Amino acid sequence: MAGGVVRALAAAVIIAFAAAPFAGGVEHPAVAVLALVLATLVFAALGTIVGIWADTFDQHSFVAAIVVTPLALLGGVFYSARTLAEPWSTVTKLDPIYYLVDATRYGFTGFHETSVALSLAVAALVAVATVALASGLVARGWRLKP
């Protein structure tokens, strides 16, 4: 997980420096950094969990295609959840990635759809849960070779 976190944060810093001449400033840097660190922890832990669980590359691809991609697409990355009719508005708000996206968007642009405190709380809860699960699996040695 630590490798995934370091890699993701290094990529974020490089992209930030490359985009800086073309983008405006960051509206709320502390929130942006916190949201990115939480997102990094969630996805690094998910990668660890899937890496332990999957036996084949097809199983890795299955999780990416059937779990992560739909959650990302329903997470409000490309649209505002306010514009959705029911039941899609509710479905979007049940997606934990929505809160990661909303907190990150607020940090960079100042725009948010839900309470920033709620977004950060949900993101932190998901990060704690996924990191705890991944750490538990590694500690137990479940499906790990000696």
Side-chain angles (χ1 to χ4, degrees):
M1 281 186 293
V5 169
V6 170
R7 179 183 166 272
L9 293 177
V13 168
I14 291 168
I15 291 169
F17 280 122
F22 308 105
V26 177
E27 291 289 322
H28 304 281
V31 174
V33 168
L34 180 58
L36 290 175
V37 167
L38 290 171
T40 300
L41 287 170
V42 168
F43 285 103
L46 283 175
T48 301
I49 293 164
V50 172
I52 291 171
W53 168 77
D55 287 325
T56 66
F57 181 75
D58 290 337
Q59 290 173 327
H60 282 275
S61 298
F62 173 82
V63 171
I66 304 300
V67 178
V68 175
T69 300
L71 286 175
L73 293 175
L74 286 172
V77 174
F78 301 110
Y79 58 86
S80 171
R82 293 179 186 169
T83 62
L84 296 175
E86 288 299 331
W88 299 110
S89 177
T90 301
V91 169
T92 294
K93 290 178 182 167
L94 292 174
D95 182 356
I97 293 177
Y98 168 75
Y99 298 97
L100 287 167
V101 169
D102 197 52
T104 304
R105 185 179 291 134
Y106 173 75
F108 281 95
T109 67
F111 174 79
H112 60 94
E113 295 183 348
T114 61
S115 160
V116 177
L118 175 65
S119 293
L120 291 173
V122 170
L125 182 67
V126 171
V128 166
T130 54
V131 168
L133 178 59
S135 298
L137 292 175
V138 170
R140 275 189 32 205
W142 182 69
R143 295 183 56 141
L144 298 177
K145 294 180 181 178

